Structure formats: C-alpha cells, structure tokens
Amino acid sequence: MRQEIWDEETARRYDTPGTGMFAPEVVEPAVDRLAELAGGGRVLEFAIGTGRVAVPLAARGVPVTGIELSPAMIARLRTKASAAEVPVITGDMATATAPGRYSLVYLVYNTISNLLTQEAQIACFRNAARYLEPGGRFVLELGVPELRTLPPSRDAMVWRNEPGRIGLDTYDVVQQHLVSHHFSFDEDGQAHLARSTHRYIWPAELDLMARLAGLVLESRHADWGGGEFTAESGSHVSVYRLPASG
C-alpha cells in the first residue's frame, strides 16, 4: 500500500530542505511557472507531500489546496504551513474529492507514476479535469523512460553513482513497471535502502489519457524554464487545458 510505503521514516528522509529536489534551483523555476499558469486563480496540488512546491507557492499569495495519501507527509508539511495556509485533504489523487473549482491542478516530480495501472492513471486525469474551471490547466512533470540505455537482455540501469549514494532502476517492460532502488551510506558505513515502484508512461500515452479526460495538450517543454523538448530530453513538463465552454 502506498500509504504504508510513505511512512514517517520515509517522509523524514524525503524532506531535505535546501538540497536535492528541495534545492532553490530546482524548486524556484517550478514555482515561477506554476504561479504564472495559475493566473491569479485557486490551485490544487495532487500528492502535495511535505509541501516542497506548495509552501513557497502559497507564500507568493497563490491559494493552494492539496490532496495527500500519507499522514506522515502531511505531518511534516504542518511544520511549515498551517491548515489555514495550505489546506490538505487526506486521500488518493485518483479518487479524492476537494471543494470547489480551480484554475490549475498540478502533479510534479514523477508522482503520477506511483499509480501502478493504466486505469488508475486515467482516473487521475479525470479527477483533475473535474476540478478545473473552463480554460483551466492540468500540469504534470514526468520523466521519460530510459529504455534505450538498457543493454540487450538486461533489465537494470544505474542512474546515480556518487560518494554515499547509488541509484538503480529495474524494469519490467511487459507491465511498464520499474522499481527504483535508492542506496545511501552513512559515514560509519551503515547502508540504507529505499524502494519505490512506478508505472512509467510515454508522452504519447499521457496525451491519450488527457484526451480521454476531455483535456488537450497546450505545451510540452523539457523543464520548468521552457527548454525545448527533444528526443534526448530526460523529462518533460506537460500542460493540458480544459477547453472553455461555448
């Protein structure tokens, strides 16, 4: 169960203020772009986590509500922002309900891949679409599967190898699943292993899911700064729009 994977210890290790995915050079471009796309309207974040993006976005005056499955992640978020500042609904991003309509719904850092079936990922798109005002946008940040780097007959790839850290992904290309293995080593040599399971999605499949939810692709870039998306891009930021009625 995903709520069991994201327990208190995992939430603590996930939350690294100022470094890694929490580094200003990672967070600030995302917040800049999301604030622009919100256009002064209300915003809903699926899988809000510990508030890595939502807290600085709310600090800019953007009204942010979140949905989050893990009580441990919400508890860490509450050390940064109150329920009045960033309201959070406990639940699954594919099915949970939030009050009202929003100009922007967003889902960052590969999180849609935590839903392990195509049906659940489509349900996530439909859940996002039901919250959007006409003309509103759904934004996803997602990695591109690195299957081209797999040697023939091999199903594993090292994506990080640096002092104190090793990252290894194993692929099941039939189910479109990968397991990401994160090894870290303390100064005393103690090893820690964290794993997360994902269903990877090609951009074209993502676009079809959007169409099934009544959304259309507005833009796709390689990063939050608007870099060109090419065949060599390792990830993308895709913006989908709910057509305005009439």
Side-chain angles (χ1 to χ4, degrees), residues 4 21 44 48 76 82 123 133 145 148 160 164 170 179 195 198 204 219 236 244:
E4 296 172 353
M21 63 189 294
L44 177 64
I48 195 171
R76 292 196 71 85
S82 69
E133 300 168 348
R148 290 187 301 170
R160 174 182 288 173
T170 55
V179 180
R195 294 189 184 95
H198 306 264
S219 67
H236 59 93

Side-chain angles (χ1 to χ4, degrees), residues 85-198:
E85 293 169 315
V86 181
V88 178
I89 294 96
T90 303
D92 190 294
M93 58 187 165
T95 58
T97 58
R101 292 291 181 269
Y102 301 83
S103 66
L104 178 70
V105 179
Y106 68 92
L107 184 55
V108 297
Y109 216 79
N110 302 323
T111 310
I112 192 171
S113 68
N114 290 335
L115 299 170
L116 299 182
T117 66
Q118 187 182 71
E119 290 77 13
Q121 291 168 347
I122 292 170
C124 182
F125 266 90
R126 287 176 169 155
N127 203 29
R130 72 168 53 100
Y131 291 121
L132 289 176
E133 300 168 348
R137 297 176 174 100
F138 181 36
V139 181
L140 295 104
E141 178 188 20
L142 188 62
V144 178
E146 298 189 48
L147 297 185
R148 290 187 301 170
T149 65
L150 286 178
S153 76
R154 301 291 180 88
D155 61 0
M157 179 196 67
V158 175
W159 52 268
R160 174 182 288 173
N161 184 10
E162 60 188 37
R165 292 183 180 275
I166 296 174
L168 174 71
D169 286 346
T170 55
Y171 283 83
D172 177 344
V173 296
V174 174
Q175 298 296 325
Q176 284 186 215
H177 282 177
L178 71 85
V179 180
S180 192
H181 308 259
H182 304 253
F183 300 89
S184 60
F185 304 89
D186 294 340
E187 292 182 358
D188 61 0
Q190 181 84 18
H192 301 274
L193 170 62
R195 294 189 184 95
S196 57
T197 304
H198 306 264

